[in-house]
Amino acid sequence: MSPPGSRPAHPRDTIARGPALAAPVSVDAAATGGAAGRPREPLPTTTPANQEATAAAPAAGIKARVQDFSFYYGPFQAVKNVSIGFAERAVTALIGPSGCGKTTLLRCFNRMHDLYPDTRYEGKIVLNPSGINIVDRRISPIEMRMRISMVFQKPNPFPKSIFENVAYGLRLRGVRSRRELADRVETALKGAALWGEVSDRLRKPAFALSGGQQQRLCIARALAVEPEIVLFDEPTSALDPIATSKIEELIHELRSRVTIIIVTHNMQQAARVSDFTAFMYLGEMVEVGRTDMMFQNPARPLTEQYISGRFG
Amino acid sequence: MNAISQQPGIASNAAVRASAAPVRQRSAIAGAMEKLIEFGLLLAALFSVAITAGIVFVLVSEAAPFFRTVPIGEFLTARLWTPLFAEPRYGIMPLLAGTLMTTGIALAVAMPVGTILAIWLSEFAPARVREIVKPVLEMLSAVPTVVFGYFAVMSVTPLLQKIDSDIPAFNMLSAGLVMGVMIVPYISSLSEDAMRSVPMLLREGSYAMGAGRLKTAIRVVFPAALSGIGAAYTLAVARAVGETMIVAIAAGQQPSLTVNPLDSAATITAFIVQVSLGDLPHGTIGYKSIFAAGFTLFVLTLGFNLVGAWLRRRFRQAY
Ligand SMILES: Nc1ncnc2c1ncn2[C@@H]1O[C@H](COP(=O)(O)OP(=O)(O)OP(=O)(O)O)[C@@H](O)[C@H]1O
Ligand SMILES: [Mg+2]
């Protein structure tokens, strides 16, 4: 492990965990991805790491580009020199065995780590089209959180009414008009497929909802502010199969409107909801590609082993 | 993969069930011991219930003869409390007013200060600062109340008199303010515990929406902890209503029905301690008036507690 504060001069020297990792693959998930979310032409499934050139592909379809990015908890490097592009208005799934750094990477996008002491970002996450570096400490984390929403592993509604939960972000952004609040709350609840179930009890406490409804409420809350990216961290891991399938459907529908990054432990889920999949292992990005291709024909043995359930 | 992660749970459940039987047989002594401990705990619980019941019984049985002499209507409506005068009057209102006024002043100080302190301690203060400030604050409540009482008379009242020289040497404002300071740690400490036990996940939800620390503290953490904070307030009210020494020393001991906090007045507790210190013959109506006053105090505190419990249930959050 490299000492804290210094990025290893030769990234590969630090990898000694198996041949499969000898060359981490890093490509754009949607080098030629269409703006509508579906790639218009077949993508190369995966590319070897040394083809960094692909990262310079037209930025049009890339919403966020992670570049030579590392993240540290104190001395511990949880994300190791990752480069990957996230396709605009598409769903990208982050998969990998427990502890490989999926959550850690996801929480870099909305600077969640800033809440805790002794954390460090290194490298860049460029948000297009503005081109700002999300993890630049000079940029306020609040600004990034205003633009990038997050849905957590466990539903975490606020101790407020259903309406106020969804209006929370709007109020923070200075929306005052009752009419506008009501309209946007309704739109968000409809967008989260929850309106029908709660329209007659908007003033009731959110805690009275079921777990699945609470999670959809959290999705509505995240959508209400019209974010550029929505981050999902295993959003269904605390839910039953029916609630899960509702949320999967929802994510699938949302993809035409917003860029989505979803961490999941569930391979079937990744296959069902995502356009692109990124496989992480021990903090490194092993392989990135179109979900269908990656599941049928992974480029790396490690990916193949993980997908087929031989470890993790 | 889900199936794999569930297996350990199933396996360990089975293991627990399998091992349960031998454990139960293992020794009769352990079983008896358990019974004994259970019995001891029951006894302790019964003991505290018995003491409470005893207090209520004494209060009621001593106050009942009082109310046979003094009609309850007069007790509640008469505007004078002079049980020891040649021509005694038994209106609880002046004492009640004194109690409510000093309590009100104390809470007006302690609730905002205690709550703000709690928010600061829980959401803003660095851990190291909190670890020093909290115990120091809690030490405040270990100071004997006599000391607070004399502090009110010797320091706070002169200070008030600097602002307005007409203020009497004994007044409810001074007593109430000092009592408020005494109560601050009750509110800050318990409220801080309540807010710190709000799960981080809830705070993260708020931060993720773009809220800053202050908004998260006020709009999410505070309401989530409301039930615990309500408990802190209830305790503070009970403490203020029952406080004796500070008011007896600093507020004066003349019952007077007044709404001016700068007047001197007696509270229920101040009256009780004043009269108990004299040598009233047992069985006289003056002696019994102590219990009538005490019973009123009991009802008052009980009332506040019931309201507090109701509020807590109303705002209980399940997270
Ligand atoms: N707050 C923290 N401080 C120090 N190390 C941490 C912290 N959080 C996570 N880690 C470490 O960072 C690595 C990545 O953790 P992370 O939570 O990102 O994994 P994950 O891929 O999301 O796993 P899972 O699938 O179990 O959620 C792990 O080795 C973990 O132990
Ligand atoms: Mg995780």
Side-chain angles (χ1 to χ4, degrees):
Chain A
M1 192 128 311
S2 60
S6 67
R7 191 138 35 103
H10 305 286
R12 275 166 225 174
D13 292 348
T14 66
I15 303 161
R17 272 177 292 267
L21 276 181
V25 173
S26 46
V27 300
D28 285 333
T32 55
R38 300 244 165 171
R40 283 191 213 95
E41 50 195 289
L43 283 168
T45 323
T46 51
T47 352
N50 33 17
Q51 283 188 13
E52 285 283 350
T54 41
I62 300 296
K63 182 62 199 171
R65 185 187 297 285
V66 177
Q67 285 172 349
D68 303 323
F69 180 76
S70 297
F71 178 83
Y72 298 83
Y73 291 110
F76 177 68
Q77 187 178 11
V79 175
K80 296 172 186 163
N81 203 25
V82 161
S83 295
I84 171 181
F86 287 90
E88 185 163 23
R89 279 186 254 158
V91 179
T92 304
L94 287 179
I95 62 168
S98 188
C100 70
K102 309 178 292 291
T103 298
T104 304
L105 178 60
L106 193 76
R107 287 161 65 93
C108 293
F109 281 83
N110 62 348
R111 298 271 297 271
M112 233 34 197
H113 300 297
D114 287 39
L115 296 175
Y116 302 93
D118 214 16
T119 54
R120 197 156 52 83
Y121 311 95
E122 229 174 52
K124 280 185 180 177
I125 300 180
V126 177
L127 186 66
N128 289 325
S130 52
I132 59 169
N133 178 13
I134 291 175
V135 294
D136 185 339
R137 290 274 186 182
R138 282 165 301 185
I139 290 173
S140 143
I142 290 185
E143 188 194 331
M144 294 333 304
R145 294 175 199 149
M146 289 277 184
R147 296 167 63 172
I148 298 174
S149 289
M150 180 162 202
V151 176
F152 294 77
Q153 196 164 350
K154 277 207 299 191
N156 57 349
F158 302 137
K160 296 174 178 301
S161 68
I162 293 170
F163 183 92
E164 284 304 325
N165 260 279
V166 184
Y168 189 78
L170 298 171
R171 289 194 194 279
L172 283 175
R173 285 155 183 77
V175 179
R176 290 278 169 275
S177 136
R178 281 162 153 257
R179 181 88 246 119
E180 187 182 352
L181 282 172
D183 285 347
R184 291 179 69 174
V185 166
E186 180 176 341
T187 310
L189 283 170
K190 281 178 176 159
L194 190 59
W195 177 252
E197 288 155 73
V198 302
S199 61
D200 56 341
R201 46 173 170 155
L202 292 175
R203 299 287 164 190
K204 290 274 155 56
F207 286 130
L209 298 173
S210 74
Q213 289 173 326
Q214 286 187 8
Q215 192 62 306
R216 274 178 286 148
L217 182 69
C218 292
I219 295 176
R221 183 171 81 188
L223 290 177
V225 296
E226 288 165 15
E228 296 173 41
I229 301 178
V230 183
L231 311 168
F232 288 86
D233 189 359
E234 298 189 48
T236 61
S237 64
L239 304 179
D240 65 63
I242 292 172
T244 296
S245 75
K246 272 190 186 157
I247 289 188
E248 286 180 0
E249 247 168 63
L250 187 57
I251 292 172
H252 204 68
E253 277 164 25
L254 287 176
R255 145 184 85 130
S256 57
R257 293 168 36 201
V258 64
T259 303
I260 290 173
I261 307 176
I262 176 173
V263 169
T264 176
H265 249 141
N266 182 324
M267 231 66 62
Q268 285 77 37
Q269 182 167 74
R272 279 191 298 264
V273 304
S274 71
D275 304 296
F276 303 98
T277 297
F279 172 54
M280 287 181 81
Y281 186 66
L282 295 173
E284 293 172 31
M285 197 58 76
V286 178
E287 185 170 343
V288 180
R290 267 181 52 176
T291 300
D292 46 6
M293 297 206 170
M294 187 141 142
F295 277 77
Q296 280 161 23
N297 187 22
R300 303 209 163 274
L302 197 63
T303 316
E304 202 270 321
Q305 282 171 30
Y306 181 67
I307 287 172
S308 61
R310 255 173 281 163
F311 74 94
Chain B
M1 193 147 68
N2 273 336
I4 292 168
S5 65
Q6 277 164 14
Q7 265 169 8
I10 294 166
S12 64
N13 270 344
V16 167
R17 241 174 280 128
S19 65
V23 165
R24 219 175 286 137
Q25 291 167 359
R26 200 182 50 207
S27 86
I29 299 172
M33 201 60 198
E34 194 133 311
K35 277 266 151 38
L36 204 71
I37 290 170
E38 220 169 88
F39 184 71
L41 292 175
L42 182 71
L43 218 64
L46 284 180
F47 189 65
S48 67
V49 171
I51 288 194
T52 312
I55 291 174
V56 175
F57 175 76
V58 169
L59 271 180
V60 172
S61 65
E62 294 282 346
F66 173 87
F67 286 113
R68 273 199 287 280
T69 319
V70 181
I72 206 148
E74 189 197 327
F75 181 73
L76 291 178
T77 56
R79 318 181 112 244
L80 280 177
W81 179 263
T82 55
L84 308 179
F85 284 20
E87 212 172 291
R89 300 296 301 277
Y90 301 98
I92 194 71
M93 287 229 296
L95 294 183
L96 201 56
T99 291
L100 292 179
M101 177 62 78
T102 48
T103 300
I105 296 168
L107 292 178
V109 173
M111 274 172 42
V113 173
T115 309
I116 290 169
L117 253 175
I119 292 177
W120 178 75
L121 280 174
S122 150
E123 305 299 307
F124 292 88
R128 224 175 295 129
V129 175
R130 179 176 52 235
E131 272 149 34
I132 296 168
V133 172
K134 212 181 165 194
V136 168
L137 266 175
E138 281 164 0
M139 252 149 64
L140 256 189
S141 52
V143 174
T145 51
V146 194
V147 176
F148 277 113
Y150 280 100
F151 175 69
V153 174
M154 319 270 271
S155 311
V156 178
T157 304
L159 215 68
L160 292 174
Q161 283 168 332
K162 274 205 187 108
I163 301 165
D164 178 357
S165 54
D166 290 340
I167 295 176
F170 300 103
N171 63 80
M172 291 188 284
L173 182 61
S174 173
L177 290 177
V178 171
M179 193 153 85
V181 171
M182 183 201 75
I183 289 172
V184 161
Y186 287 83
I187 294 183
S188 66
S189 195
L190 287 176
S191 304
E192 195 251 2
D193 290 344
M195 295 205 294
R196 288 239 289 156
S197 64
V198 171
M200 199 56 206
L201 182 65
L202 216 54
R203 285 189 191 85
E204 287 191 348
S206 169
Y207 286 122
M209 291 309 299
R213 266 203 202 184
L214 190 61
K215 283 195 169 137
T216 300
I218 292 173
R219 297 196 192 175
V220 173
V221 181
F222 184 84
L226 206 55
S227 141
I229 293 170
Y233 289 171
T234 315
L235 182 72
V237 172
R239 194 73 191 73
V241 167
E243 173 49 36
T244 308
M245 236 31 209
I246 298 176
V247 283
I249 293 172
Q253 304 196 345
Q254 282 310 310
S256 74
L257 186 52
T258 171
V259 291
N260 182 357
L262 298 176
D263 284 344
S264 76
T267 63
I268 300 177
T269 51
F271 166 76
I272 294 174
V273 72
Q274 178 196 4
V275 174
S276 323
L277 290 178
D279 40 13
L280 271 178
H282 191 96
T284 60
I285 183 86
Y287 175 82
K288 281 174 190 147
S289 70
I290 299 176
F291 291 93
F295 185 68
T296 312
L297 199 61
F298 173 76
V299 170
L300 197 63
T301 321
L302 185 71
F304 279 126
N305 274 317
L306 288 179
V307 171
W310 178 78
L311 284 176
R312 275 206 300 291
R313 196 143 16 87
R314 175 101 175 41
F315 290 106
R316 161 120 32 233
Q317 304 292 3
Y319 35 71

mmCIF file of all heavy atoms in Angstrom, chain B residues 70-98:
data_model
loop_
_atom_site.group_PDB
_atom_site.id
_atom_site.type_symbol
_atom_site.label_atom_id
_atom_site.label_comp_id
_atom_site.label_asym_id
_atom_site.label_seq_id
_atom_site.Cartn_x
_atom_site.Cartn_y
_atom_site.Cartn_z
ATOM 1 N N VAL B 70 -62.041 23.958 54.999
ATOM 2 C CA VAL B 70 -62.011 24.998 53.971
ATOM 3 C C VAL B 70 -62.630 24.432 52.692
ATOM 4 O O VAL B 70 -62.092 23.478 52.137
ATOM 5 C CB VAL B 70 -60.558 25.430 53.688
ATOM 6 C CG1 VAL B 70 -60.528 26.520 52.628
ATOM 7 C CG2 VAL B 70 -59.877 25.864 54.958
ATOM 8 N N PRO B 71 -63.713 24.992 52.266
ATOM 9 C CA PRO B 71 -64.315 24.474 51.035
ATOM 10 C C PRO B 71 -63.355 24.628 49.854
ATOM 11 O O PRO B 71 -62.619 25.622 49.773
ATOM 12 C CB PRO B 71 -65.562 25.341 50.836
ATOM 13 C CG PRO B 71 -65.555 26.362 51.906
ATOM 14 C CD PRO B 71 -64.448 26.114 52.851
ATOM 15 N N ILE B 72 -63.395 23.619 48.973
ATOM 16 C CA ILE B 72 -62.433 23.617 47.874
ATOM 17 C C ILE B 72 -62.621 24.833 46.960
ATOM 18 O O ILE B 72 -61.657 25.351 46.383
ATOM 19 C CB ILE B 72 -62.531 22.286 47.087
ATOM 20 C CG1 ILE B 72 -61.188 21.995 46.399
ATOM 21 C CG2 ILE B 72 -63.635 22.312 46.050
ATOM 22 C CD1 ILE B 72 -60.874 20.555 46.273
ATOM 23 N N GLY B 73 -63.870 25.304 46.884
ATOM 24 C CA GLY B 73 -64.139 26.499 46.075
ATOM 25 C C GLY B 73 -63.367 27.696 46.604
ATOM 26 O O GLY B 73 -62.729 28.430 45.845
ATOM 27 N N GLU B 74 -63.378 27.847 47.908
ATOM 28 C CA GLU B 74 -62.660 28.979 48.503
ATOM 29 C C GLU B 74 -61.158 28.816 48.291
ATOM 30 O O GLU B 74 -60.446 29.761 47.944
ATOM 31 C CB GLU B 74 -62.968 29.071 50.002
ATOM 32 C CG GLU B 74 -62.418 30.360 50.624
ATOM 33 C CD GLU B 74 -62.333 30.307 52.139
ATOM 34 O OE1 GLU B 74 -63.192 29.643 52.754
ATOM 35 O OE2 GLU B 74 -61.390 30.914 52.693
ATOM 36 N N PHE B 75 -60.696 27.588 48.483
ATOM 37 C CA PHE B 75 -59.274 27.278 48.310
ATOM 38 C C PHE B 75 -58.786 27.703 46.923
ATOM 39 O O PHE B 75 -57.694 28.243 46.771
ATOM 40 C CB PHE B 75 -59.073 25.768 48.513
ATOM 41 C CG PHE B 75 -57.649 25.314 48.396
ATOM 42 C CD1 PHE B 75 -56.725 25.594 49.400
ATOM 43 C CD2 PHE B 75 -57.221 24.587 47.290
ATOM 44 C CE1 PHE B 75 -55.413 25.155 49.298
ATOM 45 C CE2 PHE B 75 -55.909 24.150 47.185
ATOM 46 C CZ PHE B 75 -55.011 24.439 48.188
ATOM 47 N N LEU B 76 -59.614 27.447 45.924
ATOM 48 C CA LEU B 76 -59.194 27.727 44.558
ATOM 49 C C LEU B 76 -59.409 29.173 44.135
ATOM 50 O O LEU B 76 -58.734 29.649 43.231
ATOM 51 C CB LEU B 76 -59.923 26.792 43.582
ATOM 52 C CG LEU B 76 -59.534 25.318 43.662
ATOM 53 C CD1 LEU B 76 -60.354 24.479 42.699
ATOM 54 C CD2 LEU B 76 -58.044 25.120 43.382
ATOM 55 N N THR B 77 -60.369 29.866 44.777
ATOM 56 C CA THR B 77 -60.708 31.192 44.253
ATOM 57 C C THR B 77 -60.302 32.358 45.154
ATOM 58 O O THR B 77 -60.115 33.465 44.660
ATOM 59 C CB THR B 77 -62.222 31.308 43.967
ATOM 60 O OG1 THR B 77 -62.914 30.992 45.177
ATOM 61 C CG2 THR B 77 -62.645 30.370 42.865
ATOM 62 N N ALA B 78 -60.180 32.127 46.473
ATOM 63 C CA ALA B 78 -59.848 33.247 47.359
ATOM 64 C C ALA B 78 -58.516 33.847 46.934
ATOM 65 O O ALA B 78 -57.626 33.149 46.457
ATOM 66 C CB ALA B 78 -59.782 32.768 48.806
ATOM 67 N N ARG B 79 -58.385 35.164 47.125
ATOM 68 C CA ARG B 79 -57.210 35.834 46.581
ATOM 69 C C ARG B 79 -56.153 36.111 47.659
ATOM 70 O O ARG B 79 -55.182 36.803 47.413
ATOM 71 C CB ARG B 79 -57.625 37.133 45.879
ATOM 72 C CG ARG B 79 -58.884 36.922 45.050
ATOM 73 C CD ARG B 79 -59.310 38.185 44.320
ATOM 74 N NE ARG B 79 -59.142 37.998 42.885
ATOM 75 C CZ ARG B 79 -58.308 38.688 42.130
ATOM 76 N NH1 ARG B 79 -57.562 39.626 42.659
ATOM 77 N NH2 ARG B 79 -58.230 38.459 40.852
ATOM 78 N N LEU B 80 -56.373 35.561 48.838
ATOM 79 C CA LEU B 80 -55.395 35.766 49.912
ATOM 80 C C LEU B 80 -54.982 34.429 50.513
ATOM 81 O O LEU B 80 -55.791 33.507 50.628
ATOM 82 C CB LEU B 80 -56.006 36.636 51.022
ATOM 83 C CG LEU B 80 -56.031 38.148 50.799
ATOM 84 C CD1 LEU B 80 -56.728 38.823 51.966
ATOM 85 C CD2 LEU B 80 -54.619 38.694 50.623
ATOM 86 N N TRP B 81 -53.741 34.344 50.917
ATOM 87 C CA TRP B 81 -53.243 33.140 51.594
ATOM 88 C C TRP B 81 -52.607 33.590 52.894
ATOM 89 O O TRP B 81 -51.466 34.038 52.933
ATOM 90 C CB TRP B 81 -52.236 32.414 50.714
ATOM 91 C CG TRP B 81 -51.653 31.181 51.355
ATOM 92 C CD1 TRP B 81 -50.462 31.085 52.007
ATOM 93 C CD2 TRP B 81 -52.225 29.878 51.413
ATOM 94 N NE1 TRP B 81 -50.248 29.824 52.466
ATOM 95 C CE2 TRP B 81 -51.325 29.047 52.117
ATOM 96 C CE3 TRP B 81 -53.437 29.326 50.951
ATOM 97 C CZ2 TRP B 81 -51.580 27.694 52.354
ATOM 98 C CZ3 TRP B 81 -53.683 27.986 51.187
ATOM 99 C CH2 TRP B 81 -52.755 27.179 51.881
ATOM 100 N N THR B 82 -53.413 33.510 53.979
ATOM 101 C CA THR B 82 -52.906 33.959 55.276
ATOM 102 C C THR B 82 -53.319 32.963 56.345
ATOM 103 O O THR B 82 -54.030 33.303 57.284
ATOM 104 C CB THR B 82 -53.490 35.344 55.633
ATOM 105 O OG1 THR B 82 -54.923 35.259 55.565
ATOM 106 C CG2 THR B 82 -52.997 36.415 54.691
ATOM 107 N N PRO B 83 -52.866 31.723 56.240
ATOM 108 C CA PRO B 83 -53.350 30.670 57.154
ATOM 109 C C PRO B 83 -52.912 30.890 58.602
ATOM 110 O O PRO B 83 -53.500 30.334 59.520
ATOM 111 C CB PRO B 83 -52.733 29.397 56.577
ATOM 112 C CG PRO B 83 -51.609 29.849 55.726
ATOM 113 C CD PRO B 83 -51.895 31.234 55.276
ATOM 114 N N LEU B 84 -51.895 31.716 58.817
ATOM 115 C CA LEU B 84 -51.377 31.862 60.167
ATOM 116 C C LEU B 84 -51.846 33.143 60.829
ATOM 117 O O LEU B 84 -51.445 33.459 61.945
ATOM 118 C CB LEU B 84 -49.847 31.812 60.145
ATOM 119 C CG LEU B 84 -49.270 30.593 59.417
ATOM 120 C CD1 LEU B 84 -47.755 30.629 59.416
ATOM 121 C CD2 LEU B 84 -49.776 29.303 60.042
ATOM 122 N N PHE B 85 -52.664 33.911 60.109
ATOM 123 C CA PHE B 85 -53.159 35.158 60.687
ATOM 124 C C PHE B 85 -54.304 34.891 61.649
ATOM 125 O O PHE B 85 -54.890 33.805 61.661
ATOM 126 C CB PHE B 85 -53.650 36.109 59.578
ATOM 127 C CG PHE B 85 -52.537 36.787 58.830
ATOM 128 C CD1 PHE B 85 -51.249 36.269 58.838
ATOM 129 C CD2 PHE B 85 -52.770 37.948 58.123
ATOM 130 C CE1 PHE B 85 -50.224 36.883 58.146
ATOM 131 C CE2 PHE B 85 -51.753 38.572 57.427
ATOM 132 C CZ PHE B 85 -50.477 38.037 57.438
ATOM 133 N N ALA B 86 -54.609 35.910 62.440
ATOM 134 C CA ALA B 86 -55.737 35.787 63.359
ATOM 135 C C ALA B 86 -57.015 35.526 62.577
ATOM 136 O O ALA B 86 -57.874 34.746 62.974
ATOM 137 C CB ALA B 86 -55.883 37.065 64.186
ATOM 138 N N GLU B 87 -57.082 36.182 61.411
ATOM 139 C CA GLU B 87 -58.254 35.966 60.563
ATOM 140 C C GLU B 87 -57.782 35.281 59.287
ATOM 141 O O GLU B 87 -57.518 35.934 58.274
ATOM 142 C CB GLU B 87 -58.885 37.318 60.226
ATOM 143 C CG GLU B 87 -60.393 37.243 60.050
ATOM 144 C CD GLU B 87 -60.958 38.644 59.926
ATOM 145 O OE1 GLU B 87 -60.941 39.381 60.929
ATOM 146 O OE2 GLU B 87 -61.369 38.997 58.823
ATOM 147 N N PRO B 88 -57.645 33.949 59.342
ATOM 148 C CA PRO B 88 -56.971 33.253 58.241
ATOM 149 C C PRO B 88 -57.800 33.222 56.960
ATOM 150 O O PRO B 88 -59.019 33.159 57.002
ATOM 151 C CB PRO B 88 -56.778 31.841 58.802
ATOM 152 C CG PRO B 88 -57.817 31.693 59.846
ATOM 153 C CD PRO B 88 -58.131 33.047 60.388
ATOM 154 N N ARG B 89 -57.088 33.301 55.819
ATOM 155 C CA ARG B 89 -57.701 33.104 54.509
ATOM 156 C C ARG B 89 -56.898 32.025 53.787
ATOM 157 O O ARG B 89 -55.686 31.933 53.910
ATOM 158 C CB ARG B 89 -57.662 34.405 53.701
ATOM 159 C CG ARG B 89 -58.399 35.559 54.361
ATOM 160 C CD ARG B 89 -59.892 35.276 54.486
ATOM 161 N NE ARG B 89 -60.511 35.027 53.191
ATOM 162 C CZ ARG B 89 -60.920 36.010 52.385
ATOM 163 N NH1 ARG B 89 -60.753 37.262 52.730
ATOM 164 N NH2 ARG B 89 -61.470 35.727 51.235
ATOM 165 N N TYR B 90 -57.636 31.184 53.058
ATOM 166 C CA TYR B 90 -56.973 30.035 52.445
ATOM 167 C C TYR B 90 -57.144 30.009 50.922
ATOM 168 O O TYR B 90 -57.709 29.081 50.370
ATOM 169 C CB TYR B 90 -57.501 28.735 53.034
ATOM 170 C CG TYR B 90 -57.317 28.635 54.533
ATOM 171 C CD1 TYR B 90 -58.368 28.934 55.405
ATOM 172 C CD2 TYR B 90 -56.091 28.242 55.055
ATOM 173 C CE1 TYR B 90 -58.199 28.835 56.771
ATOM 174 C CE2 TYR B 90 -55.919 28.146 56.434
ATOM 175 C CZ TYR B 90 -56.971 28.451 57.287
ATOM 176 O OH TYR B 90 -56.802 28.360 58.627
ATOM 177 N N GLY B 91 -56.691 31.016 50.232
ATOM 178 C CA GLY B 91 -56.732 30.987 48.765
ATOM 179 C C GLY B 91 -55.359 30.597 48.229
ATOM 180 O O GLY B 91 -54.349 31.244 48.519
ATOM 181 N N ILE B 92 -55.309 29.529 47.448
ATOM 182 C CA ILE B 92 -54.007 29.031 46.973
ATOM 183 C C ILE B 92 -53.459 29.901 45.832
ATOM 184 O O ILE B 92 -52.265 29.849 45.515
ATOM 185 C CB ILE B 92 -54.133 27.551 46.517
ATOM 186 C CG1 ILE B 92 -52.755 26.895 46.332
ATOM 187 C CG2 ILE B 92 -54.910 27.431 45.220
ATOM 188 C CD1 ILE B 92 -52.023 26.636 47.614
ATOM 189 N N MET B 93 -54.328 30.717 45.239
ATOM 190 C CA MET B 93 -53.922 31.482 44.053
ATOM 191 C C MET B 93 -52.615 32.270 44.198
ATOM 192 O O MET B 93 -51.774 32.218 43.290
ATOM 193 C CB MET B 93 -55.055 32.396 43.615
ATOM 194 C CG MET B 93 -56.181 31.607 42.981
ATOM 195 S SD MET B 93 -56.731 32.248 41.420
ATOM 196 C CE MET B 93 -57.386 33.833 41.858
ATOM 197 N N PRO B 94 -52.416 32.998 45.289
ATOM 198 C CA PRO B 94 -51.158 33.755 45.390
ATOM 199 C C PRO B 94 -49.930 32.851 45.331
ATOM 200 O O PRO B 94 -48.949 33.180 44.642
ATOM 201 C CB PRO B 94 -51.255 34.430 46.759
ATOM 202 C CG PRO B 94 -52.697 34.464 47.075
ATOM 203 C CD PRO B 94 -53.306 33.267 46.426
ATOM 204 N N LEU B 95 -49.997 31.713 46.035
ATOM 205 C CA LEU B 95 -48.847 30.793 46.015
ATOM 206 C C LEU B 95 -48.664 30.195 44.623
ATOM 207 O O LEU B 95 -47.544 30.081 44.110
ATOM 208 C CB LEU B 95 -49.054 29.665 47.026
ATOM 209 C CG LEU B 95 -49.076 30.067 48.494
ATOM 210 C CD1 LEU B 95 -49.214 28.821 49.366
ATOM 211 C CD2 LEU B 95 -47.799 30.821 48.857
ATOM 212 N N LEU B 96 -49.787 29.813 44.006
ATOM 213 C CA LEU B 96 -49.743 29.228 42.676
ATOM 214 C C LEU B 96 -49.148 30.238 41.685
ATOM 215 O O LEU B 96 -48.305 29.896 40.852
ATOM 216 C CB LEU B 96 -51.164 28.845 42.255
ATOM 217 C CG LEU B 96 -51.299 27.804 41.158
ATOM 218 C CD1 LEU B 96 -50.571 26.535 41.547
ATOM 219 C CD2 LEU B 96 -52.770 27.519 40.888
ATOM 220 N N ALA B 97 -49.583 31.486 41.830
ATOM 221 C CA ALA B 97 -49.069 32.528 40.943
ATOM 222 C C ALA B 97 -47.563 32.672 41.114
ATOM 223 O O ALA B 97 -46.817 32.795 40.129
ATOM 224 C CB ALA B 97 -49.767 33.850 41.222
ATOM 225 N N GLY B 98 -47.113 32.629 42.379
ATOM 226 C CA GLY B 98 -45.676 32.736 42.633
ATOM 227 C C GLY B 98 -44.923 31.584 41.987
ATOM 228 O O GLY B 98 -43.886 31.769 41.337
#
